[in-house]
Amino acid sequence: MKRTITIICLGIICGVLWADLSFETLTLSGWIKTPFSSTALEAERAYRISEYQNLVKGEFETIAQFEQRKKDVNARVAAITREYEQKINDARAAHNAYIAKLDLRMRQILNQSRETIQMEGTLGAYDSETQKFKVSIPGKTFDVVVPLDKAPGVKQNFAKYSLSVTRQLNQNMGWDYLEAKLSGEAGTFASTDKAPALGGSTTIISIIPPRLEAIISFSEPGGNNMLDAEETATLTININNSGKGSANMVEAIFNLTGSSAVSYPGSLYFGEVKAGQTVSQSITLKGESGLTDTQVELRISFREQNGFPPDDKPLKFSTKALLAPDIYIADSGIADQSKNGKIEPGEQVEVRARIHNRGQGIAKGVSAEVNLGELTYFMQGSGALHNLGDIPSGGYKDIVFDIISAKTATKLEIKINLNEARGRFSNLNQPLNLAFNRAEKTAEAMIITGKHSQAQISAAPSLSIDIEQGIPTFGKANKNRWGVVIGIENYRNASSVRFARRDAEFMKEYFNKVLGIPMANIYEKLDEHATSGTLREIFDPRGWLDKNASHKDCEIFIYYSGHGAPDINSKKAYLLPYDGNPDYASISGYDLETLYANLQNLKAKQITLFLDSCFSGANRENEIILAGARPVSIKTETPKAAGNLSVFAASSGSEIASSYSDKLHGLFSYFLMKGMRGDADINMDNKITLQELNEYLIENVPATARRMGREQNPQLMSGEPGRVLIQW
């Protein structure tokens, strides 16, 4: 019944809204002819009755009980039948009532078309008995009453008489001619056909209106809430109908001002939004390469068939000009066959070149093409072309190739074309400054900074930083060892943690080579991938560690480099994920106490946690990350580790976990890796215990921090400090 009534309502509203009378009339005519249908109600009735058919006596039911149940069922079926008879009758009555309103509206529309016009007519013979002239127009002949004494003059001077005709549209959109009048010298004479009087009553048309609200959300892959050049953002519109009537032909219309370098569709069609329903649709906004730093406004207006659209929604967002990459050869080194550090004619040499992106933007589809000079050749298995893929801002990738030169060669010339997918960002004919019979550094220190721009670009790791070169491999991979590596350098809502990403990248290699953790067993998340949801997925019950490493033979190693944050009120400590807010650490952070508890609940044999973070409210450069707080005034209550959990912490109390600029790492992380590679083996027994590693950190980290004018004292919390961490 509701469906039938709703359809008729929509037909009525079409007539109210559309200005074109002919279109409205034809539409109403179509609806008036729509017969009443009770098919839906009948199907609903049949479905409900089917639930009571094919009764079967239950195993623990007596015959009397079964017979009584059948009587009850029959009574229920009869009640359902009566109910739906009434529903069908009510629906038919409502249908007829609306058809009557439609018919009345039709007559009103036709009455509105009534008009009186001047026409040319033809005067026929006069009937003296009835005192009438036949006056004809195309499609109609009227009997016009003219007194006998006036008739001769009218006929003689008919050409001087005006003929006015009243006409009105009919349902077929043709003209019905209702009345005619002759006006002239002898007076005005009317036809016997009279136009019916126009009724003064009006029709009150009622509908069940919808109530629409539009909710919009804007998301883009970069995480900066801006539309970058060559980036595609998604705009999602949810239209909710909290009214009692359906909305129809709902459409969103878009108009963007402020930039011509954003492509977007002109409209988005939703169609019907039923009562109580929410319909979601999305469009994409593409920033073209010519986009500039500006602010744009996307005006979203709506249309609805019956005039009940949602309110307009303005969306303002910033756009960001294309950040150009800058790829170049940052460093190079050799490994020569004779091991004298010189490239000699006729000698096989391995060449390593490091490609760094010091620009602000991503370098896309990078490839390096090596061109050799005369009498210099690639060794078998080496090639000229190296596909590197994308290199992020501040990132780097290495290429390695083997060459041999003829014994008669006198000059060594190697150039590299650095090709970028967009051409204009390529850097061609970059020379490698290598020469014959000259002592070449197998590792050359490089200090590489970003261009003056909106953000500092981290230095590409130098080939000469000791902890990054020649990482030792101690023992074979152990399938029962598992690792988690998290490094967050760039935060959405907080200042950056300098070198944290590189700390994590190299610690992953130490986990693999020094600790013997298979790469497949290491869960690594960096920067924007280390969200609050990610931390829960890793550490919460039934998370990644619980599912993979919660067994009695498993050893778990966890490394975290990033912000810690305190809750000022509770003095509790929290790890701050990429999307966390240090001012709301208790809401957006991961409680350190919860982390310890979750780890200790695992059934692993041993768990070792390395935390290169502090909980003072400041970053590695002693910059405050909390609004209105002073780091020296905040002292967190760091939870105690127990059981199978051992924790290495970078600092104590309200101290800062510093960066070590000379080594391009966090201070704690640098000496942690340096100790793990063998420097912490104090008694030279080819074993490093937890206590030995801690003593090495205590000896080196505070002393280096004091030279920076800071205090930083690492600490170890463990119930088994004598446990062997590394051996070879």
Side-chain angles (χ1 to χ4, degrees):
M1 178 179 71
K2 292 182 179 178
R3 181 179 299 175
T4 304
I5 293 173
T6 302
I7 291 174
I8 296 173
C9 289
L10 294 176
I12 296 173
I13 299 307
C14 288
V16 174
L17 295 178
W18 292 327
D20 188 337
L21 290 178
S22 63
F23 185 75
E24 182 180 3
T25 302
L26 292 173
T27 303
L28 286 171
S29 179
W31 288 118
I32 289 172
K33 295 175 183 178
T34 301
F36 170 74
S37 174
S38 61
T39 302
L41 289 172
E42 291 171 354
E44 185 177 325
R45 177 184 62 192
Y47 176 78
R48 291 186 60 184
I49 291 176
S50 68
E51 297 176 351
Y52 299 98
Q53 294 176 341
N54 302 319
L55 294 179
V56 178
K57 179 181 175 295
E59 180 181 359
F60 304 104
E61 189 178 38
T62 66
I63 294 176
Q65 289 172 331
F66 179 58
E67 291 300 323
Q68 183 59 49
R69 187 159 63 92
K70 286 197 295 185
K71 288 181 181 179
D72 294 341
V73 165
N74 290 336
R76 182 58 185 154
V77 169
I80 292 174
T81 301
R82 290 192 301 270
E83 176 186 352
Y84 276 85
E85 285 178 355
Q86 185 63 47
K87 283 185 176 181
I88 291 172
N89 289 334
D90 291 344
R92 183 180 289 108
H95 174 82
N96 292 337
Y98 275 96
I99 291 296
K101 289 184 178 181
L102 288 173
D103 187 68
L104 179 57
R105 176 57 183 161
M106 173 73 81
R107 292 197 299 272
Q108 287 181 326
I109 293 173
L110 296 179
N111 286 343
Q112 291 174 14
S113 70
R114 182 177 294 187
E115 61 181 10
T116 300
I117 61 173
Q118 300 295 317
M119 297 187 68
E120 296 290 331
T122 302
L123 188 65
Y126 183 75
D127 186 343
S128 59
E129 295 299 323
T130 60
Q131 300 188 35
K132 298 174 184 176
F133 272 116
K134 296 287 186 182
V135 178
S136 299
I137 61 172
K140 177 78 172 181
T141 297
F142 293 95
D143 288 330
V144 178
V145 179
V146 179
L148 186 61
D149 61 327
K150 306 279 190 183
V154 170
K155 185 172 185 177
Q156 183 176 358
N157 298 301
F158 178 75
K160 297 180 181 180
Y161 277 74
S162 64
L163 176 63
S164 60
V165 178
T166 300
R167 65 180 182 178
Q168 182 176 309
L169 286 173
N170 56 37
Q171 291 189 19
N172 297 322
M173 302 312 298
W175 288 107
D176 287 337
Y177 294 92
L178 307 177
E179 183 178 359
K181 290 183 180 179
L182 274 176
S183 299
E185 184 178 74
T188 299
F189 309 99
S191 66
T192 56
D193 293 322
K194 303 296 182 182
L198 295 174
S201 63
T202 60
T203 301
I204 300 176
I205 307 294
S206 63
I207 65 165
I208 303 175
R211 184 177 181 181
L212 301 182
E213 180 186 12
I215 301 172
I216 61 175
S217 62
F218 175 84
S219 63
E220 46 77 38
N224 59 1
N225 292 324
M226 294 189 291
L227 179 63
D228 297 346
E230 298 185 353
E231 182 179 68
T232 299
T234 300
L235 177 69
T236 301
I237 304 177
N238 294 296
I239 295 185
N240 175 54
N241 184 359
S242 60
K244 296 183 179 180
S246 289
N248 290 272
M249 299 178 67
V250 179
E251 189 174 17
I253 311 299
F254 304 106
N255 182 35
L256 187 140
T257 57
S259 176
S260 60
V262 178
S263 61
Y264 63 98
S267 62
L268 181 63
Y269 189 70
F270 289 82
E272 181 182 12
V273 183
K274 297 179 180 178
Q277 185 183 37
T278 298
V279 176
S280 179
Q281 298 271 22
S282 297
I283 64 167
T284 57
L285 306 170
K286 175 67 183 298
E288 305 296 344
S289 58
L291 199 61
T292 60
D293 290 343
T294 186
Q295 187 175 70
V296 300
E297 179 175 358
L298 183 66
R299 188 77 183 180
I300 310 171
S301 58
F302 298 92
R303 292 194 298 229
E304 195 271 337
Q305 181 185 26
N306 303 325
F308 296 98
D311 293 336
D312 291 355
K313 291 286 184 179
L315 173 66
K316 293 182 179 180
F317 58 91
S318 296
T319 60
K320 192 173 182 61
L322 180 65
L323 298 178
D326 184 5
I327 50 177
Y328 71 110
I329 300 172
D331 204 355
S332 63
I334 67 166
D336 63 307
Q337 195 172 23
S338 65
K339 300 187 183 301
N340 64 358
K342 297 180 181 180
I343 303 175
E344 298 169 328
E347 182 182 29
Q348 179 180 338
V349 178
E350 178 188 88
V351 179
R352 177 182 294 267
R354 178 156 292 172
I355 315 304
H356 178 228
N357 177 12
R358 62 187 170 193
Q360 292 290 320
I362 297 175
K364 298 182 179 181
V366 178
S367 65
E369 183 184 8
V370 181
N371 296 312
L372 303 178
E374 294 183 359
L375 300 179
T376 303
Y377 313 97
F378 291 109
M379 292 293 297
Q380 186 175 4
S382 275
L385 187 62
H386 302 260
N387 292 313
L388 303 177
D390 295 347
I391 303 179
S393 174
Y396 69 94
K397 292 188 179 180
D398 289 354
I399 63 171
V400 180
F401 53 94
D402 294 321
I403 62 171
I404 188 169
S405 55
K407 290 184 178 181
T408 58
T410 58
K411 183 178 181 182
L412 181 64
E413 185 177 35
I414 304 175
K415 293 184 178 181
I416 301 178
N417 289 330
L418 300 179
N419 299 300
E420 206 263 359
R422 290 163 291 185
R424 64 186 184 278
F425 299 125
S426 296
N427 200 353
L428 306 180
N429 293 318
Q430 294 296 296
L432 284 185
N433 295 316
L434 302 175
F436 286 131
N437 299 312
R438 184 181 72 186
E440 300 288 353
K441 293 181 181 179
T442 57
E444 181 181 4
M446 303 288 293
I447 300 297
I448 306 163
T449 58
K451 293 182 176 180
H452 289 291
S453 187
Q454 297 174 347
Q456 180 75 15
I457 299 300
S458 298
S462 170
L463 294 174
S464 64
I465 295 178
D466 52 358
I467 64 168
E468 297 176 1
Q469 308 306 316
I471 301 173
T473 300
F474 293 150
K476 297 180 180 180
N478 186 341
K479 66 178 181 179
N480 290 319
R481 288 197 165 191
W482 297 80
V484 173
V485 176
I486 298 173
I488 313 173
E489 182 164 345
N490 300 302
Y491 277 82
R492 178 184 292 176
N493 304 308
S495 60
S496 63
V497 180
R498 196 177 183 197
F499 308 134
R501 183 185 179 101
R502 189 169 66 212
D503 286 342
E505 289 173 340
F506 280 93
M507 185 56 75
K508 181 180 180 181
E509 291 192 43
Y510 274 76
F511 272 24
N512 173 243
K513 295 180 179 179
V514 176
L515 295 178
I517 306 175
M519 279 296 185
N521 288 10
I522 301 176
Y523 194 109
E524 180 191 41
K525 291 295 179 182
L526 305 175
D527 284 347
E528 69 272 15
H529 301 292
T531 64
S532 57
T534 302
L535 297 189
R536 291 194 299 272
E537 290 171 5
I538 298 171
F539 300 121
D540 277 5
R542 298 182 298 280
W544 187 82
L545 280 176
D546 196 0
K547 291 180 178 179
N548 291 281
S550 187
H551 306 288
K552 62 182 179 64
D553 295 327
C554 289
E555 298 176 72
I556 300 172
F557 299 87
I558 302 166
Y559 174 81
Y560 174 86
S561 181
H563 277 311
D567 179 68
I568 297 178
N569 295 322
S570 67
K571 298 296 190 293
K572 284 188 174 183
Y574 294 83
L575 299 183
L576 193 68
Y578 163 77
D579 53 351
N581 189 322
D583 292 321
Y584 302 97
S586 62
I587 298 174
S588 61
Y590 197 94
D591 186 357
L592 203 59
E593 186 174 327
T594 300
L595 173 64
Y596 287 6
N598 288 340
L599 293 177
Q600 288 166 349
N601 286 333
L602 296 174
K603 299 176 183 178
K605 179 170 64 175
Q606 297 165 350
I607 304 172
T608 307
L609 173 62
F610 305 100
L611 287 177
D612 193 352
S613 61
C614 64
F615 304 93
S616 62
N619 63 14
R620 287 179 171 180
E621 278 59 61
N622 202 19
E623 297 170 341
I624 300 171
I625 65 171
L626 289 173
R630 294 195 310 164
V632 294
S633 66
I634 302 170
K635 186 174 183 179
T636 55
E637 309 239 349
T638 306
K640 302 299 181 184
N644 59 348
L645 175 63
S646 299
V647 178
F648 285 90
S651 60
S652 305
S654 59
E655 296 173 347
I656 305 300
S658 302
S659 61
Y660 194 4
S661 298
D662 290 347
K663 299 299 182 181
L664 307 178
H665 280 284
L667 179 60
F668 171 79
S669 291
Y670 171 77
F671 283 107
L672 174 63
M673 286 183 269
K674 192 172 177 65
M676 290 173 65
R677 66 188 289 128
D679 288 27
D681 183 16
I682 298 173
N683 58 8
M684 306 294 289
D685 63 351
N686 293 341
K687 297 179 183 178
I688 299 175
T689 64
L690 299 181
Q691 184 64 37
E692 281 182 307
L693 181 58
N694 184 54
E695 291 176 0
Y696 177 79
L697 292 171
I698 290 175
E699 179 184 356
N700 290 279
V701 173
T704 307
R706 283 192 292 272
R707 289 196 292 271
M708 302 176 185
R710 298 185 183 173
E711 287 293 325
Q712 182 175 342
N713 294 282
Q715 56 179 328
L716 167 66
M717 292 176 284
S718 176
E720 46 180 354
R723 173 165 63 88
V724 174
L725 180 69
I726 302 165
Q727 62 181 352
W728 60 95

